[in-house]
Amino acid sequence: MATTGAQATKADEHGGSMLTVLIALGANALIAVAKTAAALLTGSASMVAESAHSWADTGNEALLLVAERKAGKEPDLAHPLGYGRAAYVWSMIAAFGLFTAGSILSVMHGISALQDEGPGEDYLVAYSVLAVAFVLEGVSFVQALRQTRAGAAKLAMRPLRFVLDTSQTTLRAVFFEDAAALLGILLAAGGLALHEVTGEAVWDAVGSILVGVLLGLVAVLLIVRNGQFLVGQVVAPFTRRRVLSALLDDPEIEQVTFAHMEYVGPSRIFVIAAVDLVADDRESVLRGRLQAVEDRLHEDPLITRAVLSLSAPGEGPLGTDD
């Protein structure tokens, strides 16, 4: 494997994820303050929902920074496969925060505001804040989209499929949270506009409820995906093909008859494989040759640990597409 290239790729992924989270954190903190001020001035249910949304996003980005830091710890005796799965734990906590602080609060406030009557006030303030928020959220989303497209292009995948499948949980979280934030701003603006035009406060309340439902859907998506990685997510097909190709290209290996690969963190995998070595040899020599192949695999930063054994008699070979 091209070790230098793999190390550079992993460093780029980590640096890109950190930059994406930092941009999102800064944008959401500014937006949360502005939306809260607008909610206090206007009394709009949609603005209350949007301020709750932005405060939840700000807290989530802080937790995602914790996720990146915890996952970066090196393996030790207590955790020989490293701490990579900590990223999914903290990302799941962040997703629960989005659900409780953002979704439930927005829906409950919207329901309570359904009985409100009369026109609102200071629409210009609300529209101005939403416009500024849309620009700032757009900047954060563009960074997440840029990182997503770069990763998808390397693997010849569609960006949406890449961001759903990637082991980079912080990228997935920022991407969907920012996308939901942009759509939420449009829903809030729509609720305010209908309130202003019709004089019926129910539209503002409906806007708040819709924002809450949107946040709930995103939170459930993130919770489910992080849960799948925590319980043992096998690697994506393109990663499996890459590792199988590396094994089959090794001059010591004649064929691979079994291979299991699962994520143990963002861009970190655990590999178990059964192989046939070229030529017969004494058991002690074969063990040394297997260890040499494992050592070569460990040069790839993607592979946290590789465990190889000799194939059982009669087992058929695997190809790169198996």
Side-chain angles (χ1 to χ4, degrees), residues 101-253:
S103 177
I104 294 177
L105 180 60
S106 297
V107 171
M108 291 180 64
H109 185 76
I111 292 173
S112 67
L114 286 172
Q115 304 302 319
D116 292 347
E117 298 180 359
E121 56 185 39
D122 293 322
Y123 288 106
L124 181 59
V125 172
Y127 291 142
S128 299
V129 168
L130 289 177
V132 172
F134 194 87
V135 172
L136 291 175
E137 291 285 8
V139 170
S140 178
F141 181 70
V142 165
Q143 169 60 25
L145 184 61
R146 182 182 295 116
Q147 187 182 351
T148 298
R149 284 178 170 171
K154 291 178 182 178
L155 302 169
M157 296 177 67
R158 294 180 182 274
L160 183 58
R161 172 49 57 188
F162 172 80
V163 80
L164 284 170
D165 288 350
T166 182
S167 62
Q168 295 289 328
T169 182
T170 53
L171 171 60
R172 179 168 40 253
V174 173
F175 180 93
F176 283 107
E177 287 176 10
D178 284 350
L182 291 172
L183 183 54
I185 290 171
L186 296 178
L187 290 173
L192 280 170
L194 288 171
H195 186 182
E196 181 181 13
V197 170
T198 65
E200 298 289 339
V202 65
W203 293 111
D204 193 18
V206 169
S208 176
I209 293 171
L210 290 177
V211 169
V213 171
L214 174 64
L215 294 181
L217 292 174
V218 171
V220 169
L221 169 65
L222 296 178
I223 289 169
V224 168
R225 285 303 283 140
N226 281 304
Q228 289 170 336
F229 278 94
L230 279 172
V231 300
Q233 172 74 50
V234 296
V235 302
F238 55 83
T239 301
R240 182 177 173 84
R241 287 194 295 270
R242 170 185 166 184
V243 176
L244 281 175
S245 293
L247 285 168
L248 293 170
D249 289 342
D250 192 290
E252 289 280 7
I253 294 179

